[in-house]
Amino acid sequence: MARVRARGNGPQGLPGISVTGRRAGTFCLLLVAALCVQATRVQVFQAQDLDRNSANQRLTVERYAQPRGDILVGPDPVTGSEPTGGRYAYKRGYTDGPTYAAVTGFASQAYGTTQLEGTEDELLTGTDGRLAGWSVWDAVSRRQNPGGDVHTTLNRAAQQAAMRGLGDQKGAVAAIEPATGRILALASTPSYDPGSFAGYGADDQEAWNRLQADADQPMLNRALRQTYPPGSTFKVVTAAAALAAGVVTDPAAPTGAPFPYVLPGTTTPLVNDTPACDRADLSLAAAMTASCNSVLGYLGVRTGLDRMAEMAGNLGFNDARLDVPVRAARSNFDTRMDESQLALSSIGQFDTAATPLTMAMVAAGVANDGTVMRPQLVDRLTRSDGTTVQLMKPAVYRRAMTPAVAGQVRGLMTGVVENGTGGNARIAGAVVGGKTGTAQHGVGNSGTPYAWFIAWAAPAGSDAVPPVAVAVVVEDSGATDVTGGALAAPIARSVMRAVLGG
């Protein structure tokens, strides 16, 4: 009998698969593989970018699902969290927001974060890995940790004195503890209330738009992010460089500076602001006390560009990565210029520009025997229960000059306060050293001059490092006497007195 093979059976008797079926199966497998590849690409390789995408609201919802950690001045928080009853459960609140805005910055549901609210955002929101516990369940469930706290280095009395002193004027104050680099005050005016746009509503948007349109730029951090020609306050840098280079060996001896002093390569004399400077061969001490442009311009040229630039760099100039931890703007001292430009730069003009923070570093370095400490705004980071996450330790920024040179410059600055243009900074029971500055700016020097004062102060009879150094700039006050001695020195005095406890 002939055998009949069942149609459609495979070699082992299983139902056969047609060519079309095999192709469809292969296509489905390819689709599954493609989906796996795409899922891996999205969930692994693109996860970070998607998390940061402005259209991704999940992270914002999580960020404001619980109270944010606080920023503290001393033992007291200057921030808080307010329940909203909306999609974002909490929004940021501020205690006396305008006083501390230059330090805290803002945390807004609509507009992001700045200043310490930005640099310490992960800790404040609880997403910093250092806040995580050891619980396996916490890791599996991805439970959000409570936000940690940021303890600042601010001295509350000094900060309040700075804001009161500035008042309605445009300007800024930076105060530093010379021995440690701790920032004691950081003020900028006009200021703003960061809580006015912390939410996501129409009122928040209106407040934001109003601040953005304000010609006085209240949201500009003038203490950290604005540079100004430092004027005669820069003569402290020039004096230190001349002494360090041996161009001047005795501050009380004649310098050999001619009068008039004609800018090298030109027929233009470098003029002074007072007749007390209009004679030849003044000493460095006399020139600093009377703030003589001709003498300090001459000494800057004699010291030379390289040594002037080196001293400026040691005191904080030309550093584009000065973080406190908020990044400060780069203060400038040109490293390529001719001798006439160097003479002008040596008296804080031409292209020389500085933030108040950098000029406070200048005063602090002189006060601290020539060692400049790295400025720091944060003392420590803690968990919500108060345990320490990170303790900030003082760190040396640069050794700018020898203790001997620093002592000579301190003597020069003391003379300015006791016998010269800085008399408004005197404090009873304290030794104060300072330097005034009135900086021209604008086309043809047509702008209202900036009034500067930098200083340090110590209790009389103390051999310790002075506990405070300060820089003040008043940008536009409307006053008739627009000088550093008249406008900025009294503000510096009030800040230093607050630190000294007077």
Side-chain angles (χ1 to χ4, degrees), residues 288-290 410-427 430-436 453-457 489 492-493 496:
M288 286 289 283
T289 299
R410 283 199 301 275
L412 295 172
M413 295 177 73
T414 302
V416 171
V417 173
E418 293 180 352
N419 305 308
T421 56
N424 282 337
R426 294 175 190 154
I427 300 173
V431 177
V432 180
K435 184 68 190 78
T436 55
F453 192 72
I454 66 172
W456 49 264
R493 178 186 61 204
M496 293 187 294

Short mmCIF file of all heavy atoms in Angstrom, two decimals, residues 288-290 410-427 430-436 453-457 489 492-493 496:
data_model
loop_
_atom_site.label_atom_id
_atom_site.label_comp_id
_atom_site.label_asym_id
_atom_site.label_seq_id
_atom_site.Cartn_x
_atom_site.Cartn_y
_atom_site.Cartn_z
N MET A 288 49.66 108.12 50.47
CA MET A 288 48.48 107.32 50.79
C MET A 288 47.50 108.13 51.64
O MET A 288 46.28 108.08 51.44
CB MET A 288 48.89 106.06 51.52
CG MET A 288 49.53 105.01 50.64
SD MET A 288 48.37 104.19 49.50
CE MET A 288 47.54 103.07 50.64
N THR A 289 48.01 108.88 52.59
CA THR A 289 47.14 109.67 53.46
C THR A 289 46.34 110.70 52.67
O THR A 289 45.14 110.89 52.91
CB THR A 289 47.98 110.38 54.54
OG1 THR A 289 48.66 109.40 55.32
CG2 THR A 289 47.10 111.23 55.45
N ALA A 290 46.99 111.35 51.70
CA ALA A 290 46.32 112.36 50.89
C ALA A 290 45.73 111.79 49.60
O ALA A 290 45.07 112.49 48.85
CB ALA A 290 47.29 113.49 50.56
N ARG A 410 49.37 97.98 56.63
CA ARG A 410 48.42 98.29 57.70
C ARG A 410 48.73 99.67 58.30
O ARG A 410 47.82 100.45 58.60
CB ARG A 410 48.46 97.22 58.79
CG ARG A 410 47.75 95.94 58.43
CD ARG A 410 47.42 95.11 59.68
NE ARG A 410 48.62 94.76 60.44
CZ ARG A 410 49.40 93.71 60.19
NH1 ARG A 410 49.12 92.91 59.18
NH2 ARG A 410 50.47 93.45 60.93
N GLY A 411 50.01 99.96 58.46
CA GLY A 411 50.39 101.27 58.97
C GLY A 411 49.93 102.39 58.04
O GLY A 411 49.46 103.44 58.50
N LEU A 412 50.07 102.18 56.74
CA LEU A 412 49.62 103.18 55.77
C LEU A 412 48.10 103.38 55.85
O LEU A 412 47.62 104.52 55.82
CB LEU A 412 50.00 102.74 54.36
CG LEU A 412 51.49 102.67 54.03
CD1 LEU A 412 51.71 102.02 52.66
CD2 LEU A 412 52.12 104.05 54.07
N MET A 413 47.35 102.27 55.98
CA MET A 413 45.90 102.36 56.04
C MET A 413 45.42 103.01 57.35
O MET A 413 44.44 103.76 57.36
CB MET A 413 45.28 100.97 55.87
CG MET A 413 45.53 100.35 54.50
SD MET A 413 44.87 98.66 54.33
CE MET A 413 43.10 99.00 54.23
N THR A 414 46.14 102.74 58.43
CA THR A 414 45.81 103.39 59.70
C THR A 414 45.99 104.90 59.59
O THR A 414 45.18 105.70 60.10
CB THR A 414 46.68 102.84 60.84
OG1 THR A 414 46.50 101.43 60.93
CG2 THR A 414 46.32 103.46 62.17
N GLY A 415 47.05 105.32 58.89
CA GLY A 415 47.29 106.75 58.69
C GLY A 415 46.17 107.41 57.90
O GLY A 415 45.83 108.57 58.16
N VAL A 416 45.60 106.70 56.94
CA VAL A 416 44.49 107.26 56.16
C VAL A 416 43.30 107.58 57.05
O VAL A 416 42.64 108.61 56.89
CB VAL A 416 44.08 106.27 55.05
CG1 VAL A 416 42.78 106.73 54.37
CG2 VAL A 416 45.19 106.13 54.01
N VAL A 417 43.01 106.70 58.02
CA VAL A 417 41.86 106.90 58.90
C VAL A 417 42.17 107.95 59.97
O VAL A 417 41.32 108.80 60.29
CB VAL A 417 41.44 105.56 59.55
CG1 VAL A 417 40.36 105.78 60.61
CG2 VAL A 417 40.95 104.60 58.48
N GLU A 418 43.36 107.91 60.52
CA GLU A 418 43.68 108.81 61.64
C GLU A 418 44.03 110.22 61.17
O GLU A 418 43.75 111.20 61.88
CB GLU A 418 44.84 108.23 62.45
CG GLU A 418 44.47 106.93 63.17
CD GLU A 418 45.62 106.38 63.98
OE1 GLU A 418 46.76 106.91 63.86
OE2 GLU A 418 45.40 105.40 64.73
N ASN A 419 44.62 110.32 59.97
CA ASN A 419 45.11 111.64 59.55
C ASN A 419 44.65 112.08 58.17
O ASN A 419 44.99 113.20 57.75
CB ASN A 419 46.66 111.64 59.55
CG ASN A 419 47.23 111.20 60.88
OD1 ASN A 419 46.87 111.75 61.92
ND2 ASN A 419 48.12 110.22 60.86
N GLY A 420 43.92 111.21 57.46
CA GLY A 420 43.62 111.52 56.08
C GLY A 420 42.14 111.48 55.73
O GLY A 420 41.28 111.86 56.53
N THR A 421 41.85 110.93 54.56
CA THR A 421 40.50 111.00 53.99
C THR A 421 39.52 110.02 54.60
O THR A 421 38.33 110.09 54.32
CB THR A 421 40.58 110.73 52.47
OG1 THR A 421 41.23 109.45 52.25
CG2 THR A 421 41.36 111.81 51.76
N GLY A 422 40.00 109.10 55.45
CA GLY A 422 39.12 108.07 56.00
C GLY A 422 38.66 108.33 57.41
O GLY A 422 38.26 107.40 58.13
N GLY A 423 38.67 109.59 57.86
CA GLY A 423 38.34 109.91 59.24
C GLY A 423 36.94 109.47 59.66
O GLY A 423 36.71 109.20 60.85
N ASN A 424 36.00 109.37 58.73
CA ASN A 424 34.63 108.98 59.08
C ASN A 424 34.51 107.51 59.47
O ASN A 424 33.43 107.06 59.87
CB ASN A 424 33.68 109.26 57.92
CG ASN A 424 33.31 110.73 57.83
OD1 ASN A 424 33.38 111.46 58.82
ND2 ASN A 424 32.94 111.18 56.64
N ALA A 425 35.60 106.76 59.38
CA ALA A 425 35.56 105.35 59.76
C ALA A 425 36.09 105.11 61.16
O ALA A 425 36.13 103.96 61.62
CB ALA A 425 36.36 104.51 58.76
N ARG A 426 36.50 106.15 61.86
CA ARG A 426 37.06 105.96 63.19
C ARG A 426 36.03 105.35 64.14
O ARG A 426 34.86 105.70 64.11
CB ARG A 426 37.54 107.30 63.77
CG ARG A 426 38.70 107.91 63.02
CD ARG A 426 39.02 109.29 63.59
NE ARG A 426 39.97 110.00 62.75
CZ ARG A 426 40.06 111.32 62.69
NH1 ARG A 426 39.27 112.07 63.45
NH2 ARG A 426 40.95 111.89 61.91
N ILE A 427 36.51 104.44 64.99
CA ILE A 427 35.67 103.79 66.00
C ILE A 427 36.36 103.92 67.35
O ILE A 427 37.53 103.54 67.49
CB ILE A 427 35.44 102.30 65.67
CG1 ILE A 427 34.74 102.15 64.31
CG2 ILE A 427 34.63 101.61 66.77
CD1 ILE A 427 34.63 100.70 63.84
N ALA A 430 38.94 101.28 69.12
CA ALA A 430 39.38 100.34 68.08
C ALA A 430 40.46 100.99 67.22
O ALA A 430 40.53 102.21 67.10
CB ALA A 430 38.21 99.90 67.21
N VAL A 431 41.28 100.14 66.63
CA VAL A 431 42.24 100.57 65.61
C VAL A 431 41.62 100.26 64.25
O VAL A 431 41.23 99.12 64.00
CB VAL A 431 43.59 99.85 65.76
CG1 VAL A 431 44.54 100.26 64.65
CG2 VAL A 431 44.19 100.15 67.12
N VAL A 432 41.54 101.26 63.40
CA VAL A 432 40.92 101.10 62.09
C VAL A 432 41.90 101.52 61.02
O VAL A 432 42.52 102.59 61.12
CB VAL A 432 39.62 101.92 61.97
CG1 VAL A 432 39.00 101.74 60.59
CG2 VAL A 432 38.63 101.55 63.06
N GLY A 433 42.05 100.69 60.00
CA GLY A 433 42.84 101.05 58.83
C GLY A 433 41.94 101.03 57.61
O GLY A 433 41.10 100.14 57.49
N GLY A 434 42.09 102.00 56.74
CA GLY A 434 41.19 102.04 55.59
C GLY A 434 41.78 102.77 54.41
O GLY A 434 42.89 103.31 54.47
N LYS A 435 41.03 102.80 53.33
CA LYS A 435 41.41 103.57 52.14
C LYS A 435 40.14 103.98 51.41
O LYS A 435 39.27 103.15 51.13
CB LYS A 435 42.30 102.76 51.20
CG LYS A 435 42.78 103.57 49.99
CD LYS A 435 43.75 104.67 50.42
CE LYS A 435 44.06 105.65 49.30
NZ LYS A 435 42.96 106.63 49.09
N THR A 436 40.05 105.27 51.12
CA THR A 436 38.92 105.80 50.37
C THR A 436 39.17 105.66 48.87
O THR A 436 40.30 105.49 48.42
CB THR A 436 38.71 107.28 50.69
OG1 THR A 436 39.95 107.98 50.45
CG2 THR A 436 38.30 107.48 52.14
N PHE A 453 35.05 102.52 49.91
CA PHE A 453 35.88 102.50 51.11
C PHE A 453 36.16 101.05 51.45
O PHE A 453 35.26 100.21 51.46
CB PHE A 453 35.18 103.17 52.30
CG PHE A 453 36.11 103.42 53.46
CD1 PHE A 453 37.08 104.40 53.39
CD2 PHE A 453 36.01 102.67 54.63
CE1 PHE A 453 37.94 104.64 54.46
CE2 PHE A 453 36.86 102.90 55.70
CZ PHE A 453 37.84 103.89 55.61
N ILE A 454 37.45 100.74 51.69
CA ILE A 454 37.82 99.42 52.19
C ILE A 454 38.54 99.62 53.53
O ILE A 454 39.21 100.63 53.73
CB ILE A 454 38.69 98.62 51.21
CG1 ILE A 454 40.07 99.28 51.01
CG2 ILE A 454 37.98 98.45 49.87
CD1 ILE A 454 41.03 98.43 50.19
N ALA A 455 38.37 98.65 54.44
CA ALA A 455 38.93 98.85 55.77
C ALA A 455 39.01 97.54 56.53
O ALA A 455 38.43 96.52 56.13
CB ALA A 455 38.06 99.84 56.56
N TRP A 456 39.71 97.59 57.66
CA TRP A 456 39.71 96.52 58.65
C TRP A 456 39.69 97.19 60.02
O TRP A 456 40.02 98.38 60.15
CB TRP A 456 40.95 95.62 58.51
CG TRP A 456 42.24 96.38 58.43
CD1 TRP A 456 42.92 96.74 57.30
CD2 TRP A 456 42.99 96.93 59.53
NE1 TRP A 456 44.03 97.47 57.62
CE2 TRP A 456 44.11 97.60 58.98
CE3 TRP A 456 42.84 96.92 60.91
CZ2 TRP A 456 45.06 98.25 59.77
CZ3 TRP A 456 43.78 97.57 61.71
CH2 TRP A 456 44.88 98.21 61.13
N ALA A 457 39.27 96.45 61.05
CA ALA A 457 39.20 97.03 62.39
C ALA A 457 39.51 95.96 63.42
O ALA A 457 39.17 94.78 63.23
CB ALA A 457 37.82 97.63 62.65
N ALA A 489 32.57 105.41 53.88
CA ALA A 489 33.24 105.16 55.16
C ALA A 489 32.28 105.02 56.33
O ALA A 489 32.46 104.14 57.19
CB ALA A 489 34.26 106.27 55.43
N ALA A 492 30.89 101.50 56.29
CA ALA A 492 31.90 100.54 56.73
C ALA A 492 32.06 100.59 58.25
O ALA A 492 32.17 99.54 58.91
CB ALA A 492 33.24 100.83 56.05
N ARG A 493 32.06 101.79 58.81
CA ARG A 493 32.19 101.93 60.25
C ARG A 493 31.06 101.20 60.97
O ARG A 493 31.30 100.49 61.96
CB ARG A 493 32.18 103.41 60.64
CG ARG A 493 32.27 103.66 62.15
CD ARG A 493 32.12 105.14 62.45
NE ARG A 493 30.83 105.63 62.00
CZ ARG A 493 30.57 106.90 61.70
NH1 ARG A 493 31.52 107.81 61.78
NH2 ARG A 493 29.37 107.27 61.29
N MET A 496 31.65 97.39 60.78
CA MET A 496 32.76 96.95 61.63
C MET A 496 32.40 97.07 63.12
O MET A 496 32.74 96.20 63.92
CB MET A 496 34.00 97.78 61.31
CG MET A 496 34.56 97.50 59.92
SD MET A 496 36.14 98.32 59.56
CE MET A 496 35.69 100.05 59.58
#
